Short mmCIF file of all heavy atoms in Angstrom, two decimals:
data_model
loop_
_atom_site.label_atom_id
_atom_site.label_comp_id
_atom_site.label_asym_id
_atom_site.label_seq_id
_atom_site.Cartn_x
_atom_site.Cartn_y
_atom_site.Cartn_z
N TRP J 123 -11.82 33.19 -98.76
CA TRP J 123 -12.72 32.92 -99.89
C TRP J 123 -12.38 33.82 -101.08
O TRP J 123 -12.30 33.36 -102.21
CB TRP J 123 -14.18 33.12 -99.48
CG TRP J 123 -15.13 32.84 -100.61
CD1 TRP J 123 -15.61 33.74 -101.52
CD2 TRP J 123 -15.65 31.57 -100.98
NE1 TRP J 123 -16.42 33.11 -102.42
CE2 TRP J 123 -16.46 31.78 -102.12
CE3 TRP J 123 -15.51 30.28 -100.45
CZ2 TRP J 123 -17.13 30.72 -102.75
CZ3 TRP J 123 -16.20 29.24 -101.08
CH2 TRP J 123 -16.99 29.46 -102.21
N PHE J 124 -12.19 35.11 -100.84
CA PHE J 124 -11.99 36.05 -101.94
C PHE J 124 -10.53 36.21 -102.33
O PHE J 124 -10.24 36.64 -103.46
CB PHE J 124 -12.61 37.41 -101.59
CG PHE J 124 -14.10 37.42 -101.58
CD1 PHE J 124 -14.81 37.43 -100.40
CD2 PHE J 124 -14.81 37.38 -102.78
CE1 PHE J 124 -16.20 37.43 -100.39
CE2 PHE J 124 -16.19 37.38 -102.78
CZ PHE J 124 -16.89 37.39 -101.59
N HIS J 205 -13.45 46.15 -101.57
CA HIS J 205 -14.53 45.20 -101.79
C HIS J 205 -15.32 45.07 -100.50
O HIS J 205 -14.74 44.96 -99.41
CB HIS J 205 -13.94 43.83 -102.18
CG HIS J 205 -14.93 42.89 -102.81
ND1 HIS J 205 -15.82 43.27 -103.80
CD2 HIS J 205 -15.18 41.57 -102.59
CE1 HIS J 205 -16.54 42.22 -104.15
NE2 HIS J 205 -16.18 41.19 -103.42
N VAL J 206 -16.64 45.11 -100.62
CA VAL J 206 -17.51 44.97 -99.45
C VAL J 206 -18.27 43.66 -99.58
O VAL J 206 -18.89 43.39 -100.62
CB VAL J 206 -18.50 46.15 -99.34
CG1 VAL J 206 -19.36 45.99 -98.08
CG2 VAL J 206 -17.76 47.47 -99.32
N VAL J 207 -18.22 42.84 -98.54
CA VAL J 207 -18.89 41.56 -98.58
C VAL J 207 -19.73 41.39 -97.30
O VAL J 207 -19.50 42.06 -96.30
CB VAL J 207 -17.89 40.39 -98.71
CG1 VAL J 207 -17.05 40.55 -99.96
CG2 VAL J 207 -17.01 40.26 -97.49
N ALA J 208 -20.70 40.51 -97.39
CA ALA J 208 -21.57 40.23 -96.25
C ALA J 208 -21.75 38.73 -96.11
O ALA J 208 -21.78 37.99 -97.11
CB ALA J 208 -22.92 40.93 -96.44
N THR J 209 -21.86 38.28 -94.88
CA THR J 209 -22.15 36.89 -94.60
C THR J 209 -23.42 36.83 -93.77
O THR J 209 -23.99 37.85 -93.43
CB THR J 209 -21.01 36.22 -93.83
OG1 THR J 209 -20.98 36.74 -92.48
CG2 THR J 209 -19.65 36.52 -94.47
N SER J 210 -23.87 35.64 -93.45
CA SER J 210 -25.00 35.39 -92.57
C SER J 210 -26.27 35.10 -93.35
O SER J 210 -26.45 35.52 -94.50
CB SER J 210 -25.27 36.52 -91.58
OG SER J 210 -25.93 37.61 -92.19
N THR J 212 -29.22 36.24 -92.77
CA THR J 212 -30.01 37.44 -93.02
C THR J 212 -29.64 38.08 -94.36
O THR J 212 -30.52 38.37 -95.18
CB THR J 212 -29.81 38.46 -91.89
OG1 THR J 212 -30.37 37.94 -90.67
CG2 THR J 212 -30.50 39.79 -92.22
N PHE J 213 -28.36 38.30 -94.58
CA PHE J 213 -27.94 38.92 -95.84
C PHE J 213 -28.27 38.00 -97.03
O PHE J 213 -28.66 38.49 -98.11
CB PHE J 213 -26.45 39.22 -95.81
CG PHE J 213 -26.14 40.60 -95.28
CD1 PHE J 213 -25.44 40.75 -94.08
CD2 PHE J 213 -26.52 41.73 -95.96
CE1 PHE J 213 -25.15 42.01 -93.58
CE2 PHE J 213 -26.22 43.00 -95.48
CZ PHE J 213 -25.53 43.14 -94.29
N LYS J 214 -28.10 36.68 -96.86
CA LYS J 214 -28.40 35.77 -97.95
C LYS J 214 -29.88 35.83 -98.32
O LYS J 214 -30.24 35.83 -99.50
CB LYS J 214 -28.02 34.34 -97.55
CG LYS J 214 -26.52 34.11 -97.48
CD LYS J 214 -26.20 32.70 -96.98
CE LYS J 214 -24.70 32.51 -96.84
NZ LYS J 214 -24.37 31.17 -96.28
N GLN J 215 -30.76 35.91 -97.30
CA GLN J 215 -32.20 35.99 -97.59
C GLN J 215 -32.55 37.32 -98.24
O GLN J 215 -33.38 37.36 -99.16
CB GLN J 215 -32.98 35.79 -96.30
CG GLN J 215 -32.91 34.36 -95.77
CD GLN J 215 -33.78 34.15 -94.54
OE1 GLN J 215 -34.15 35.09 -93.84
NE2 GLN J 215 -34.11 32.90 -94.26
N LEU J 216 -31.95 38.40 -97.78
CA LEU J 216 -32.23 39.70 -98.39
C LEU J 216 -31.76 39.74 -99.84
O LEU J 216 -32.46 40.28 -100.72
CB LEU J 216 -31.55 40.81 -97.58
CG LEU J 216 -32.12 41.05 -96.18
CD1 LEU J 216 -31.23 42.01 -95.40
CD2 LEU J 216 -33.54 41.60 -96.26
N ALA J 217 -30.61 39.16 -100.11
CA ALA J 217 -30.13 39.11 -101.50
C ALA J 217 -31.06 38.26 -102.35
O ALA J 217 -31.35 38.61 -103.51
CB ALA J 217 -28.71 38.56 -101.53
N ARG J 218 -31.55 37.17 -101.79
CA ARG J 218 -32.43 36.28 -102.56
C ARG J 218 -33.73 36.96 -102.92
O ARG J 218 -34.19 36.88 -104.07
CB ARG J 218 -32.69 35.02 -101.73
CG ARG J 218 -33.64 34.02 -102.40
CD ARG J 218 -32.96 33.32 -103.57
NE ARG J 218 -33.91 32.46 -104.27
CZ ARG J 218 -34.55 32.78 -105.39
NH1 ARG J 218 -34.35 33.96 -105.96
NH2 ARG J 218 -35.37 31.93 -105.94
N ALA J 222 -31.22 37.58 -106.20
CA ALA J 222 -30.00 36.78 -106.32
C ALA J 222 -30.35 35.31 -106.57
O ALA J 222 -31.47 34.87 -106.32
CB ALA J 222 -29.16 36.90 -105.05
N LEU J 229 -22.32 27.26 -104.73
CA LEU J 229 -21.57 28.26 -104.01
C LEU J 229 -20.91 29.30 -104.91
O LEU J 229 -20.65 30.42 -104.48
CB LEU J 229 -20.45 27.58 -103.19
CG LEU J 229 -20.86 26.71 -102.00
CD1 LEU J 229 -19.61 26.10 -101.37
CD2 LEU J 229 -21.61 27.53 -100.97
N ILE J 231 -21.78 30.81 -107.72
CA ILE J 231 -22.56 31.84 -108.41
C ILE J 231 -22.44 33.12 -107.60
O ILE J 231 -22.71 33.14 -106.40
CB ILE J 231 -24.05 31.42 -108.52
CG1 ILE J 231 -24.19 30.12 -109.28
CG2 ILE J 231 -24.86 32.53 -109.16
CD1 ILE J 231 -23.80 30.19 -110.73
N GLN J 232 -22.05 34.20 -108.26
CA GLN J 232 -21.93 35.47 -107.54
C GLN J 232 -23.31 35.99 -107.17
O GLN J 232 -24.21 36.03 -108.00
CB GLN J 232 -21.18 36.50 -108.37
CG GLN J 232 -20.99 37.83 -107.64
CD GLN J 232 -20.06 38.78 -108.36
OE1 GLN J 232 -19.11 38.35 -109.02
NE2 GLN J 232 -20.32 40.07 -108.25
N ARG J 233 -23.44 36.39 -105.92
CA ARG J 233 -24.71 36.93 -105.42
C ARG J 233 -24.44 38.30 -104.81
O ARG J 233 -23.61 38.43 -103.91
CB ARG J 233 -25.32 35.98 -104.37
CG ARG J 233 -25.72 34.63 -104.96
CD ARG J 233 -26.11 33.64 -103.88
NE ARG J 233 -26.61 32.39 -104.44
CZ ARG J 233 -25.84 31.36 -104.80
NH1 ARG J 233 -24.51 31.45 -104.64
NH2 ARG J 233 -26.37 30.26 -105.31
N ASP J 234 -25.16 39.29 -105.29
CA ASP J 234 -24.96 40.67 -104.84
C ASP J 234 -26.25 41.22 -104.22
O ASP J 234 -27.35 40.72 -104.48
CB ASP J 234 -24.55 41.56 -106.03
CG ASP J 234 -23.27 41.09 -106.69
OD1 ASP J 234 -22.30 40.77 -105.97
OD2 ASP J 234 -23.24 41.03 -107.94
N LEU J 235 -26.07 42.26 -103.43
CA LEU J 235 -27.20 42.98 -102.86
C LEU J 235 -26.92 44.47 -103.00
O LEU J 235 -25.90 44.95 -102.52
CB LEU J 235 -27.41 42.63 -101.40
CG LEU J 235 -28.50 43.40 -100.65
CD1 LEU J 235 -29.87 43.11 -101.25
CD2 LEU J 235 -28.47 43.07 -99.15
N LEU J 288 -22.92 45.19 -102.28
CA LEU J 288 -22.00 44.26 -101.64
C LEU J 288 -22.20 42.88 -102.22
O LEU J 288 -23.20 42.58 -102.88
CB LEU J 288 -22.20 44.27 -100.12
CG LEU J 288 -23.60 44.01 -99.54
CD1 LEU J 288 -24.00 42.55 -99.60
CD2 LEU J 288 -23.66 44.51 -98.10
N GLU J 289 -21.22 42.00 -101.97
CA GLU J 289 -21.27 40.63 -102.46
C GLU J 289 -21.45 39.68 -101.29
O GLU J 289 -20.84 39.87 -100.23
CB GLU J 289 -20.00 40.30 -103.24
CG GLU J 289 -20.02 38.90 -103.86
CD GLU J 289 -18.82 38.62 -104.76
OE1 GLU J 289 -18.03 39.55 -105.01
OE2 GLU J 289 -18.69 37.46 -105.21
N ILE J 290 -22.27 38.68 -101.48
CA ILE J 290 -22.51 37.69 -100.43
C ILE J 290 -21.36 36.68 -100.43
O ILE J 290 -21.00 36.12 -101.47
CB ILE J 290 -23.83 36.96 -100.66
CG1 ILE J 290 -25.01 37.97 -100.74
CG2 ILE J 290 -24.08 35.95 -99.55
CD1 ILE J 290 -25.18 38.84 -99.51
N CYS J 291 -20.80 36.44 -99.25
CA CYS J 291 -19.71 35.46 -99.09
C CYS J 291 -20.31 34.16 -98.54
O CYS J 291 -20.96 34.17 -97.50
CB CYS J 291 -18.65 35.99 -98.14
SG CYS J 291 -17.28 34.84 -97.85
N PRO J 292 -20.06 33.02 -99.22
CA PRO J 292 -20.60 31.74 -98.72
C PRO J 292 -20.00 31.30 -97.39
O PRO J 292 -20.62 30.55 -96.66
CB PRO J 292 -20.24 30.75 -99.84
CG PRO J 292 -19.97 31.60 -101.04
CD PRO J 292 -19.39 32.87 -100.51
N TRP J 293 -18.76 31.71 -97.11
CA TRP J 293 -18.12 31.32 -95.85
C TRP J 293 -18.34 32.38 -94.80
O TRP J 293 -18.45 33.57 -95.09
CB TRP J 293 -16.62 31.15 -96.07
CG TRP J 293 -16.25 29.85 -96.72
CD1 TRP J 293 -17.10 28.87 -97.16
CD2 TRP J 293 -14.92 29.39 -96.99
NE1 TRP J 293 -16.38 27.83 -97.69
CE2 TRP J 293 -15.05 28.12 -97.61
CE3 TRP J 293 -13.65 29.93 -96.80
CZ2 TRP J 293 -13.93 27.37 -98.00
CZ3 TRP J 293 -12.55 29.19 -97.20
CH2 TRP J 293 -12.68 27.92 -97.79
#
Side-chain angles (χ1 to χ4, degrees):
W123 180 269
F124 288 105
H205 196 46
V206 181
V207 302
T209 71
S210 77
T212 293
F213 270 114
K214 290 176 183 176
Q215 290 184 339
L216 291 171
R218 178 73 184 99
L229 291 178
I231 301 293
Q232 182 170 327
R233 295 170 175 87
D234 301 314
L235 175 64
L288 54 76
E289 184 173 354
I290 304 301
C291 179
W293 281 3

